[in-house]
């Protein structure tokens, strides 16, 4: 971990995922009709897929070789992953974000945003004692939603979902 | 939150008090602001025409018309959005001619067949223009040059299915050996700018976009793609050089307002009346003259006939030029 | 000349117009600052709003919004790392690190002065050189736009962070993202996986909001319990010495901004990115390293994007050709108000040119006034506890993404790229190159294709095109020199040819 060009925890898996994703994009790019010449619509996407893929393969080789010879037990590696890449609060924020998107369709902007803000602020704001945190989170959420709605919908005619 | 709940309560109360017959609902129409969706981005022709007519429509309907641009995919995004909304007359699509080509280009199953034309607002007339130092004075010179120097003349274009592409297809159909190199730009504005800079040699553009540049002598007009002279333009109509063009004309981009076909008839009638009145309002006609488009103001059957004829002409021209993804015959588009 | 002065002073002496410009500039600053709300959108809403107004009044309001909006994007870029507008992307690169150092107030102060200065240079160029500049701008062919785009892409090298290779991968990924959607040249869908929702492509503003706003918020969650940074707000106004120190850079960046702004195919966003690149290459001893809070990295893009406003009006007022998206909407507004924008605009409506120059000058002065007030209050935003601020940033990003085109798909993109961007970030891929690729990709690709079509698909013809036109040759040499400077060959070359730095 101390060497500057060594790998981050889980980087090998991430790079492999990127390679796979690029291959999917490449397959889709190759479906674009006609590679008659450099001006054809498929030329640019295929060229860029080639650049990304080439770069990723070099990265892949580097990460594979940068891996330490002696591997710590899985528990240690998992803990290291959690500390540097995916701490609990990030994981929960991502989950909350996805729920927010689903809520946006079901409850509309006002309801979903209020819930998202209230839950997120309420759970992240650890410095405050629970008793004052909950009402503060609710008030902040309501205030923010009200201001955003006023600004976007009334002033700029954005019809919020 | 409270505001919404109160509004909800009021509307529940209103529902309970009023008889539920569709006729009664149509009488109240429009009870809240209408939502207009513009298929193209801000600053484009469709945007300008829509924003010119909208305040007059608001006046006639006595209700606000909130406009939003939903551009993308030559209008597919906006069209699909309005189609996904309820057919209650509150969602109005402002679009140009492109949806009539979605079928042959394989872009979408939808087209204006799924909508009712409240009004066709205006149409544009194409003009054949060339860079100012080009060695041609009219369409005849251009044709002679192109046929003797195949592929060497550069034509400004806006992509497959765009106005220059279609006019070129007409020329290619009428003149054997009419071969040019088409350089596509992001729209007629950038293409005309390239023409002014001498980076392409000629192109077809809508009169309104080219007029001021012709008047200032920065580009020159070779012919009007029309059967008669355009007011304010010296160039002869193309039919004088190529009489075969008569079968395609009048042809050009058009702009209109649409609602979903399934919208209740009384609501359509109300909207149609307001839109046709607005389109025939002297203020809108003045805008048209200024913008260089021909006011149309037709709706219903007349509009549908116009659009179907337009589609027949254009779809088959594309098919003959080898640019159609789907055979127009398969889509049931008759050849004219 | 006297009549010109008279036209110039129309708005200065009419209290109604004066107020409209002030209101416009003020509103513009906040429209610009809120991600997703764009000046283009605000001006097109104003078309209906000002339908029945006098043309001069409508124009005054629009010009104010435009000037304020271009500047406003810097606010959120510095305070929250969400550029309020694409033109402020480069500003976030050094502005946000400054906020983290507790210098948000000073950063906004310097940004305001740089914007004012840039705006002034732009207006001056418009007033003095408009016809000439417009004619030269027309000479830029597709091949030249392609080279300009490539010049911008070279910035990837300096935005890559720990690994150049990762930067190149990120940049190419950005270009790929920009290719999604309907290719209008061939009417073919590309990389859409058969979905018609993807036909419209991925809005680059959505990518920007996701990659900067949401991804950054997620990264910040790592240090949730870290103490908030106290902002130093005792000295927000830059001293005269500071202003003078950055004057040469501001001037060079402004000149660049005017040029890019005057080109019909490029606007303030590209001007700002290229100015940032220029600053990075030309400033030997920045106040701090670039990307870590260099004031030079704020001054250059902000001077350039406001200079681009004056620049964009050059082809618009002289030839009726819009210099960017906002001037395109203003042209549409002129049509609706019964004017005929075009090369004859100055002949038909002689007052319009100097009237606009006068309005821009006023808007620029208001920008300085409004920009320098309330900084202390704004800087305090950064002091809000992260647990409160970060969720609000996420909601603002979601609304902003939706507001771009009133399309929920853009929200999905922003969130998707936010989460993806988070992982890229933690694995050492910088997000700047991705956004750079998304913005510049289309310019490079479409103009490359145009050039190729024009030479009938011949690579030899393409190479000949690049060396046989003076403007093209200059741009090409610029790119080659930039590339050489990054290699060990450069010191040797410099020694041999005795070039001065």
């Amino acid at each position: 971990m101390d060497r500057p060009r060594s790998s981050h925890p889980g980087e090998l898996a991430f790079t492999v995922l990127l390679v796979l994703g690029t291959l999917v994009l490449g397959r889709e790019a190759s479906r674009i009709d006609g590679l008659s010449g450099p001006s054809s619509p498929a030329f640019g996407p295929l060229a860029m897929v080639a650049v990304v893929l080439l770069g990723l393969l070099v990265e892949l080789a580097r990460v594979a070789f940068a891996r330490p010879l002696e591997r710590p037990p899985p528990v240690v590696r998992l803990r290291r992953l959690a500390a540097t890449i995916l701490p609990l609060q990030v994981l929960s924020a991502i989950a909350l974000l996805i729920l927010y998107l689903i809520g946006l369709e079901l409850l509309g902007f006002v309801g979903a945003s209020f819930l998202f803000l209230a839950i997120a602020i309420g759970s992240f704001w650890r410095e405050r004692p629970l008793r004052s945190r909950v009402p503060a989170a609710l008030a902040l959420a309501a205030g923010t939603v009200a201001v955003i709605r006023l600004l976007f919908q009334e002033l700029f005619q954005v019809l919020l979902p | 939150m409270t505001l919404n709940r109160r509004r909800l309560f009021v509307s529940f109360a209103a529902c309970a008090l009023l008889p539920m017959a569709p006729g009664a609902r149509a009488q109240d129409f429009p009870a809240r602001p209408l939502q207009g969706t513009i298929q193209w981005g801000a600053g484009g022709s469709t945007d300008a025409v829509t924003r010119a007519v909208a305040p007059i429509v608001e006046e006639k309907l006595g209700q606000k018309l909130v406009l939003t641009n939903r551009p993308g995919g030559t209008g597919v995004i906006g069209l699909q959005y309005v189609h996904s909304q309820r057919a209650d007359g509150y969602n109005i699509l402002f679009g140009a001619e492109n949806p009539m080509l979605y079928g042959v280009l394989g872009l979408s199953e939808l087209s204006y067949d799924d909508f009712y034309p409240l009004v066709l607002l205006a149409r544009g007339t194409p003009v054949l223009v060339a860079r100012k130092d080009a060695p041609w004075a009219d369409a005849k010179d251009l044709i002679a040059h192109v046929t003797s120097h195949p592929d060497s003349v550069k034509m400004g274009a806006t992509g497959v299915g765009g106005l220059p592409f279609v006019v070129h297809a007409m020329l290619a159909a009428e003149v054997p050996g009419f071969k040019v190199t088409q350089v596509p730009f992001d729209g007629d504005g950038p293409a005309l700018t390239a023409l002014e800079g001498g980076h392409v040699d000629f192109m077809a553009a809508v009169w309104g976009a080219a007029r001021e540049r012709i008047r200032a002598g920065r580009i020159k007009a070779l012919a009007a793609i029309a059967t008669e002279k355009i007011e304010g333009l010296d160039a002869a109509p193309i039919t004088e050089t190529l009489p075969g063009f008569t079968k395609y004309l009048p042809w050009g981009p058009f702009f209109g307002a649409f609602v979903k076909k399934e919208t209740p008839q009384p609501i359509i009638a109300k909207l149609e009346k307001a839109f046709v009145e607005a389109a025939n309002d002297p203020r809108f006609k003045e805008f048209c003259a200024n913008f260089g488009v021909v006011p149309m103001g037709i709706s219903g059957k007349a509009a549908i006939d116009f659009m179907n004829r337009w589609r027949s002409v254009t779809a088959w021209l594309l098919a003959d030029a080898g640019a159609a993804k789907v055979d127009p015959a398969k889509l049931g588009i008759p050849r004219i | 000349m006297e009549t010109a002065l008279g036209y110039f002073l129309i708005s200065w002496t009419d209290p109604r117009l004066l107020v409209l410009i002030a209101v416009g500039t003020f509103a513009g600053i906040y429209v610009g600052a809120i991600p997703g709300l764009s000046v283009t959108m605000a001006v097109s809403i104003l078309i209906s709003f000002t339908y029945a107004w006098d043309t001069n009044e409508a124009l005054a309001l629009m010009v104010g919004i435009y000037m304020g909006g271009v500047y406003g994007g810097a606010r959120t870029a510095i305070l929250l790392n969400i550029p309020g507008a694409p033109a402020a992307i480069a500003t976030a690169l050094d502005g946000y690190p400054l906020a983290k150092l507790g210098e948000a107030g000073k950063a906004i102060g310097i940004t305001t002065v740089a914007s004012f200065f840039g705006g002034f240079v732009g207006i001056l160029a418009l007033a003095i050189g408009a016809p000439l500049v417009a004619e030269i701008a027309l000479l830029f062919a597709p091949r030249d736009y392609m080279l300009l785009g490539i010049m911008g892409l070279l910035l990837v090298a300096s935005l890559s962070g720990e690994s150049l290779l990762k930067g190149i991968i990120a940049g190419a990924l950005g270009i790929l993202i920009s290719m999604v959607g309907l290719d209008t040249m061939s009417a073919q869908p590309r990389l859409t996986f058969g979905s018609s929702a993807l036909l419209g492509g991925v809005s680059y503003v959505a990518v920007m909001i996701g990659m900067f706003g949401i991804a950054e918020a997620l990264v910040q969650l790592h240090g949730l319990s870290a103490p908030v940074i106290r902002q130093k707000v005792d000295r927000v106004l830059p001293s005269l010495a500071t202003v003078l120190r950055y004057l040469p850079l501001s001037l060079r960046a402004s000149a660049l901004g005017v040029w890019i702004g005057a080109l019909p195919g490029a606007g303030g966003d590209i001007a700002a990115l290229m100015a940032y690149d220029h600053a990075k290459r030309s400033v030997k001893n920045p106040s701090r390293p670039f990307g870590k809070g260099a004031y030079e990295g704020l001054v250059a893009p902000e001077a350039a994007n406001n200079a681009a406003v004056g620049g964009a009006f050059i082809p618009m007022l002289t030839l009726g050709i819009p210099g960017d998206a906002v001037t395109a909407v203003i042209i549409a507004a002129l049509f609706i108000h019964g004017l005929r924008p075009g090369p004859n605009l100055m002949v038909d409506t002689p007052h319009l040119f100097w009237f606009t120059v006068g309005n821009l000058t006023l808007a620029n002065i208001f920008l300085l006034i409004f920009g320098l007030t309330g900084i202390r209050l704004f800087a305090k935003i950064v002091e809000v506890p992260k647990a409160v601020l970060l969720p609000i940033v996420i909601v603002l990003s979601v609304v902003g993404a939706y507001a771009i085109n009133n399309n929920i798909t853009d929200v999905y993109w922003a969130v998707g790229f936010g989460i993806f961007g988070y992982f890229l970030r933690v694995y050492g891929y910088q997000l700047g190159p991705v956004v750079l690729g998304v913005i510049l990709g289309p310019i490079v690709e479409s103009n490359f294709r145009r050039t190729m079509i024009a030479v009938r698909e011949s690579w030899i013809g393409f190479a000949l095109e690049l060396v046989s036109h003076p403007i093209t040759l200059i741009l090409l040499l610029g790119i080659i020199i930039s590339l050489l400077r990054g290699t060990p060959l450069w010191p040797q070359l410099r020694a041999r040819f005795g070039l001065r730095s």
Side-chain angles (χ1 to χ4, degrees):
Chain A
M1 284 296 287
D2 291 324
R3 280 179 297 138
R5 297 272 293 168
S6 80
S7 67
H8 306 270
E11 186 166 9
L12 187 66
F14 182 69
T15 315
V16 169
L17 278 177
L18 282 183
V19 170
L20 291 179
T22 313
L23 286 176
V24 173
L25 275 179
R27 207 171 97 95
E28 187 65 14
S30 66
R31 286 203 187 133
I32 304 168
D33 278 358
L35 190 61
S36 49
S39 79
S40 59
F43 183 82
L46 285 174
M48 283 306 119
V49 165
V51 172
V52 175
L53 207 56
L54 213 66
L56 282 176
L57 289 177
V58 176
E59 268 301 303
L60 198 62
R62 186 189 67 74
V63 176
F65 283 114
R67 290 195 336 147
L69 288 174
E70 46 177 320
R71 307 183 63 185
V75 186
V76 176
R77 283 196 289 150
L78 206 64
R79 200 172 293 154
R80 198 178 284 167
L81 187 76
T84 55
I85 303 297
L86 211 58
L88 193 64
Q89 59 267 41
V90 175
L91 201 64
S92 50
I94 290 176
L96 207 55
L97 196 53
I98 291 166
L99 287 176
Y100 178 29
L101 285 192
I102 299 168
L104 220 49
E105 295 262 5
L106 295 177
L107 307 171
F109 170 76
V110 174
S113 303
F114 176 78
L115 283 177
F116 173 80
L117 282 172
I119 296 171
I121 297 175
S123 55
F124 290 145
W125 211 357
R126 299 260 167 71
E127 296 100 274
R128 278 204 168 204
L130 198 66
R131 256 186 46 213
S132 72
R133 198 200 302 166
V134 173
L138 290 176
L140 278 167
T144 311
V145 171
V147 169
I148 291 181
R149 209 196 112 98
L150 196 78
L151 211 65
F152 279 79
Q153 191 139 340
E154 308 304 327
L155 214 56
F156 292 102
Q157 306 184 352
V158 175
L159 297 154
L160 296 169
Chain B
M1 285 290 277
T2 45
L3 193 83
N4 259 4
R5 203 172 293 157
R6 192 181 302 153
R7 200 178 281 169
L8 203 67
F9 175 75
V10 170
S11 48
F12 266 125
C15 285
L17 287 173
L18 286 168
M20 290 296 285
R25 274 183 55 216
Q27 252 168 29
D28 301 334
F29 182 89
R32 54 185 166 94
L34 296 127
Q35 196 191 338
T37 299
I38 307 173
Q39 258 187 354
W40 291 90
S45 310
T46 313
D47 186 60
V49 170
T50 306
R51 288 184 194 276
V53 80
I56 310 173
V57 174
E58 286 182 339
E59 230 173 71
K60 307 277 176 199
L61 279 174
Q63 189 55 268
K64 272 198 80 70
L65 173 56
V66 180
L67 297 173
T68 34
N69 301 83
R70 282 177 213 260
T74 64
V76 174
I77 303 296
L79 184 100
Q80 269 177 351
Y81 172 77
V82 177
H83 195 261
S84 70
Q85 300 300 106
R86 264 188 299 173
D88 54 7
Y90 285 100
N91 279 282
I92 292 161
L93 173 72
F94 290 92
E97 70 285 358
N98 319 67
M100 295 310 264
L101 294 180
Y102 290 166
V104 280
L105 293 177
L107 292 180
S108 173
E109 311 252 296
L110 297 172
S111 74
Y112 285 143
D113 291 345
D114 304 282
F115 289 83
Y116 181 85
L118 295 174
V119 71
L120 293 188
L121 293 161
R123 65 179 172 87
T125 310
V127 180
L128 214 52
V129 286
R131 62 183 159 83
K132 63 171 184 282
D133 48 355
W136 322 302
D138 54 27
K140 205 180 281 172
D141 294 351
L142 172 74
I143 290 166
H145 187 107
V146 169
T147 43
S148 59
H149 303 79
D151 286 331
S152 74
V153 177
K154 281 184 261 182
M155 184 186 100
T158 57
V160 170
L163 178 143
F165 185 94
V166 176
V167 172
H168 171 264
M170 293 176 185
L171 284 165
E174 296 303 309
V175 182
F178 191 88
K179 281 191 178 141
V180 298
T181 301
Q182 286 196 42
V183 187
F185 289 83
D186 297 328
D188 60 352
L192 279 167
T193 302
L195 183 72
E196 213 173 312
H199 308 301
V200 289
D201 301 308
F202 83 102
M203 66 180 286
V206 71
W207 164 236
R211 181 187 53 198
E212 289 305 302
R213 301 179 207 234
I214 297 169
R215 192 157 73 93
R218 301 192 63 91
I219 54 178
K220 65 181 171 192
L222 302 178
I225 309 295
T227 46
E228 280 162 43
K229 265 194 160 184
I230 300 177
E231 198 188 319
L233 179 70
D234 293 331
I238 188 79
T239 42
E240 277 184 20
T241 324
L242 300 167
F245 261 67
T246 319
K247 60 178 170 291
Y248 307 123
L249 301 177
W251 186 92
F254 59 84
F255 312 98
F258 304 82
V259 282
K260 272 177 82 172
K261 219 177 175 177
E262 298 78 17
T263 310
Q265 188 48 46
I267 289 176
I268 286 193
K270 217 163 185 173
L271 283 170
E272 188 173 349
K273 183 167 172 288
F275 271 90
V276 171
E277 275 178 27
N280 287 302
D281 190 279
R283 282 170 292 172
F284 182 68
K285 289 199 161 164
E286 194 191 316
F287 164 79
C288 287
N290 196 32
F291 200 59
V293 290
V294 183
M296 291 177 82
I298 55 169
S299 69
K301 173 111 179 31
I304 292 169
D305 288 347
F306 176 87
M307 290 194 293
N308 283 339
R309 184 178 175 279
W310 189 96
R311 173 161 59 188
S312 286
V313 169
T314 318
W316 282 103
L317 277 168
L318 288 185
D320 295 345
K325 273 247 184 86
V326 181
D327 184 1
K330 264 196 195 136
L331 296 168
I333 300 171
R335 192 191 266 270
I336 289 184
Chain C
M1 205 54 218
E2 246 171 64
T3 48
L5 189 67
Y7 297 145
F8 179 84
L9 290 175
I10 293 176
S11 300
W12 296 64
T13 49
D14 181 335
R16 208 179 135 77
L17 291 173
L18 203 65
V19 168
L20 280 173
I21 293 175
V23 169
T25 312
F26 187 79
I29 293 177
Y30 292 94
V31 168
I34 301 170
L37 290 187
S38 65
V39 182
T40 320
M41 194 173 107
V43 174
S44 44
I45 291 172
L46 280 181
I47 290 186
S48 318
F49 190 67
T50 60
Y51 186 73
W53 291 20
D54 178 64
T55 315
N56 282 0
E57 292 175 356
L59 272 177
L61 193 60
M62 287 175 187
V63 164
I65 293 227
Y66 187 14
M67 203 63 162
V70 171
Y71 156 77
R75 284 270 164 109
T76 27
I78 293 169
L79 296 171
L80 307 173
N81 199 39
I82 318 176
I89 286 173
T91 314
L93 299 175
D94 277 290
Y96 188 61
L98 276 168
K100 284 205 226 165
L101 291 168
E103 295 184 20
K106 203 177 160 197
I108 297 178
I110 286 186
T111 306
T112 312
V113 175
S115 295
F116 170 76
F117 183 81
F120 190 68
V121 172
I123 295 164
L124 214 62
L126 172 66
I128 297 169
L132 183 71
V133 173
E135 293 297 338
I136 298 175
L138 279 188
L139 295 179
F140 273 66
R143 54 177 181 267
D144 304 315
Y145 282 104
M146 175 189 78
L147 291 176
L148 270 179
I150 292 174
M151 268 180 157
L153 281 178
L154 293 183
L155 188 54
V156 164
S158 45
L159 292 182
S160 296
E162 62 176 74
S163 151
L164 178 63
L165 182 63
K166 283 181 174 174
I168 292 171
I169 294 172
L173 208 60
I175 299 178
L176 260 180
I177 294 168
S178 78
M179 288 169 174
V180 174
L182 186 72
D183 169 44
T184 45
M185 284 193 186
S186 62
Q188 276 214 56
R190 299 198 295 180
L191 309 174
T192 58
F193 296 91
S195 153
S196 55
L198 283 181
L199 273 184
V202 184
S203 159
Y204 66 102
V205 182
V207 180
M208 181 188 90
I209 290 176
M211 292 253 166
F212 282 100
I214 295 178
E216 175 67 26
L218 291 176
V219 169
Q220 292 272 313
L221 280 171
H222 281 259
L224 202 53
S225 47
V228 292
I229 313 127
R230 290 275 153 234
Q231 294 293 324
K232 291 173 251 180
V233 288
D234 47 324
R235 264 205 79 101
V236 292
L237 296 186
S239 66
L240 189 66
T242 316
V243 174
L244 286 177
R245 183 176 163 202
Y246 299 126
L247 201 62
L249 177 65
S250 312
L251 199 62
R252 295 197 306 269
S254 303
L256 194 69
V258 172
W259 265 111
I260 308 275
L263 292 175
D269 45 353
I270 294 169
L273 287 167
M274 294 192 68
Y276 185 82
D277 189 42
H278 169 78
K280 212 169 163 175
R281 285 169 201 282
S282 66
V283 177
K284 288 281 165 295
N285 298 305
S287 53
R288 285 195 191 88
F290 278 99
K292 300 209 161 67
Y295 281 104
E296 286 82 355
L298 281 182
V299 168
E302 283 302 311
N305 65 25
N306 274 69
V309 174
F313 272 103
I314 290 176
M316 185 215 138
L317 287 173
T318 52
L319 301 173
I321 295 168
D324 66 352
V326 182
T327 38
V329 179
I330 296 180
I331 285 182
L334 289 181
F335 270 119
I336 291 173
H337 279 279
L339 301 181
R340 290 187 175 186
N344 286 331
L345 192 66
M346 282 165 82
V347 182
D348 297 342
T349 41
H351 73 280
L352 208 64
F353 183 83
W354 288 105
F355 173 66
T356 305
V357 174
N359 289 348
L360 282 167
T361 314
L362 268 177
N364 204 31
I365 294 169
F366 285 127
L367 184 151
L368 188 68
I369 298 169
F370 296 141
L372 290 178
T373 47
I375 294 181
R376 286 186 176 86
L377 190 72
F378 268 95
K380 293 278 179 197
I381 289 179
V382 191
E383 291 186 7
V384 172
K386 276 185 186 169
V388 177
L389 189 60
L390 297 179
I392 293 179
V393 165
I394 289 177
V395 169
L396 205 59
S397 301
V398 166
V399 187
Y402 181 77
I404 310 162
N405 279 327
N406 296 286
N407 195 339
I408 193 87
T409 319
D410 287 329
V411 178
Y412 297 150
W413 281 122
V415 171
F417 280 115
I419 297 172
F420 180 51
Y422 167 78
F423 284 105
L424 286 177
R425 272 276 299 265
V426 291
Y427 284 116
Y429 294 85
Q430 294 300 310
L431 302 182
V434 183
V435 177
L436 196 72
V438 176
I439 291 183
L440 296 174
I443 295 186
V444 177
E445 199 219 358
S446 62
N447 286 302
F448 167 74
R449 287 168 72 184
R450 270 168 214 140
T451 312
M452 268 300 177
I453 290 172
V455 298
R456 282 185 267 167
E457 315 280 342
S458 137
W459 286 100
I460 299 165
F462 179 75
L464 279 177
E465 277 283 292
L466 293 189
V467 295
S468 51
H469 303 270
I471 293 176
T472 318
L473 201 59
I474 293 170
L475 291 170
L476 187 66
L477 284 176
I479 290 175
I480 292 173
I481 290 172
S482 292
L483 283 176
L484 283 178
R485 284 179 93 148
T487 66
L489 226 62
W490 182 248
Q492 291 175 27
L493 281 172
R494 230 172 69 183
R496 177 167 305 170
F497 296 104
L499 286 173
R500 287 177 300 125
S501 60

